[in-house]
Amino acid sequence: MIPWCVLALLWLSSLCPGTLSCPALCKCYPRTGEVVCEGTLSEFPSEGLPKGTTMLTIQFTNITFISEHQLNAVPLLEGLHLYGNNLQNLSSHLLRGTPRLTTLDLTGNKLSHLPKDVFSHMKLSVLVMKNNLIENADAEWFPDNSNLTWLDLSGNRLKSIPAALLQKLPHLENLDLSLNRLEKIPANSLNQLTELERLDLQDNKLTTLDASAFQRIQNLTYIFLSRNRIKLPQNIFDGLDQLKHLSLDDNQLSHIPPGLLDQLTSLEEDGLDLSVNPWLCDGKLEYLWRWLQKNKEKAYLPESLTCAGPQPLVGRSVMSLTESELNLKS
């Protein structure tokens, strides 16, 4: 006679296939196909992973490397999240055995160099590599006409981004390059990103942008340029009539070119951030001053925009100035 405890285990197994197969330091949820592993793991837990796993999270472990062979243990994988591990290298053909994978998150590892073709997986649509040690981005990472819609390279050490890389991403909707060391964006490098809605370039070392940088990406809804040192060409925002939010704070702006904001008819309430700039309150500030009078609700904390000069006006709110103080003709 089969002991009752064995029968009970068999019954549970029939209800939740895979319940009895789960690696140490992992939690398996057969009903949803999800597995979460964390702790003192030093190797990828390929032994014992349920074959039906579709979502795998491995976080805060001591794992330094994952190979294609190890990922073959979960061929139905659709999402792989590898937060806060110690990954230093990736296998050249890491994703070849996971044909259904669409989301890969490598946030908070120690990746500095990635092999060519590493993300040549055609179905990959979301790729997050934020907070690593990457110094060079390689156009050969991706296939032509990549399916990526979301690319996050923030918090790395990039000094440049190859135009050839961006030109392979025509379906991209979100591009985050913030918190890097970018000094310039090559002219025309964004032209293929016609579906782009969100562009984050804040916290870099940009000093200028090409006047035609956004000419072909008129679906842009959010642009973040905070904490750079950008001088703005006069017509750079022309055609961006869907833009809801624009951050230009902390850019050492003293004036902005006349007409710069006229095309931005869709800015939402508080959608334009011009704070923490050293505004020079002379006749060249007339355009911004008049724009603020008419569009106060679209500016973030408009009263906080203050004069850095000339001396008699230092500390005064731009909004409070009069025509005579700006030496304007009535």
Side-chain angles (χ1 to χ4, degrees):
M1 179 179 293
I2 301 175
W4 69 269
C5 57
V6 174
L7 289 173
L9 286 172
L10 290 172
W11 178 73
L12 284 172
S13 178
S14 68
L15 287 179
C16 304
T19 300
L20 302 179
S21 176
C22 193
L25 300 176
C26 297
K27 295 181 180 179
C28 299
Y29 306 93
R31 291 184 182 276
T32 61
E34 184 177 2
V35 177
V36 178
C37 306
E38 58 185 330
T40 57
L41 287 171
S42 57
E43 293 186 0
F44 186 85
S46 50
E47 295 296 326
L49 282 173
K51 293 291 185 183
T53 301
T54 57
M55 184 73 67
L56 176 59
T57 298
I58 299 177
Q59 56 191 6
F60 314 121
T61 74
N62 297 318
I63 294 174
T64 60
F65 180 75
I66 295 178
S67 69
E68 173 193 354
H69 175 72
Q70 289 171 323
L71 272 189
N72 286 346
V74 280
L76 303 182
L77 204 59
E78 297 173 6
L80 177 58
H81 302 271
L82 300 169
Y83 314 123
N85 297 289
N86 285 290
L87 290 175
Q88 299 173 16
N89 296 289
L90 298 180
S91 170
S92 180
H93 300 291
L94 179 67
L95 309 179
R96 189 162 53 182
T98 53
R100 299 188 182 187
L101 191 72
T102 59
T103 299
L104 176 60
D105 192 336
L106 295 162
T107 297
N109 284 281
K110 297 179 180 178
L111 298 169
S112 59
H113 175 75
L114 303 176
K116 293 181 179 180
D117 301 327
V118 64
F119 304 122
S120 58
H121 179 68
M122 290 303 294
K123 285 192 176 181
L124 201 63
S125 59
V126 176
L127 176 60
V128 181
M129 292 187 286
K130 66 185 297 183
N131 298 341
N132 277 278
L133 306 172
I134 300 169
E135 295 185 359
N136 296 294
D138 193 331
E140 298 303 315
W141 285 350
F142 304 112
D144 292 334
N145 197 32
S146 167
N147 285 334
L148 276 185
T149 60
W150 188 292
L151 176 59
D152 187 343
L153 281 165
S154 63
N156 280 283
R157 300 177 178 180
L158 296 172
K159 292 184 178 180
S160 63
I161 187 78
L165 182 152
L166 297 175
Q167 289 165 3
K168 291 184 172 184
L169 309 175
H171 306 293
L172 209 60
E173 298 173 5
N174 181 90
L175 176 60
D176 193 340
L177 296 171
S178 62
L179 290 162
N180 276 285
R181 302 171 184 178
L182 297 176
E183 298 174 354
K184 65 179 296 184
I185 301 296
N188 304 318
S189 62
L190 302 176
N191 284 359
Q192 299 299 316
L193 307 184
T194 56
E195 302 298 319
L196 196 66
E197 298 177 2
R198 187 182 182 97
L199 175 63
D200 195 337
L201 294 169
Q202 61 189 346
D203 292 287
N204 277 286
K205 297 183 178 182
L206 298 171
T207 56
T208 186
L209 288 171
D210 189 87
S212 62
F214 307 134
Q215 193 171 44
R216 302 282 185 88
I217 44 178
Q218 298 183 1
N219 286 324
L220 274 173
T221 308
Y222 299 91
I223 300 178
F224 302 92
L225 295 169
S226 309
R227 292 174 293 283
N228 283 280
R229 295 292 182 267
I230 294 176
K231 293 181 180 178
L232 297 166
Q234 185 165 4
N235 301 316
I236 190 169
F237 300 129
D238 284 6
L240 300 184
D241 53 11
Q242 297 187 50
L243 197 68
K244 294 181 179 180
H245 182 91
L246 173 62
S247 293
L248 290 168
D249 50 299
D250 201 353
N251 266 284
Q252 295 298 307
L253 295 172
S254 57
H255 302 98
I256 60 172
L260 181 77
L261 306 174
D262 292 351
Q263 296 285 325
L264 306 183
T265 56
S266 294
L267 281 175
E268 60 190 5
E269 185 175 345
D270 298 331
L272 175 64
D273 192 348
L274 293 167
S275 61
V276 200
N277 281 294
W279 301 107
L280 183 57
C281 296
D282 56 16
K284 292 183 179 180
L285 201 69
E286 178 181 4
Y287 170 72
L288 176 60
W289 178 74
R290 294 193 184 281
W291 189 90
L292 287 171
Q293 306 300 322
K294 296 178 181 179
N295 300 280
K296 178 181 178 181
E297 74 285 350
K298 293 184 178 181
Y300 174 71
L301 298 177
E303 293 82 4
S304 72
L305 308 186
T306 57
C307 303
Q311 188 59 42
L313 298 177
V314 171
R316 283 282 303 278
S317 168
V318 172
M319 290 284 295
S320 72
L321 299 176
T322 64
E323 289 188 355
S324 61
E325 287 174 317
L326 289 171
N327 294 319
L328 305 180
K329 295 180 180 180
S330 302

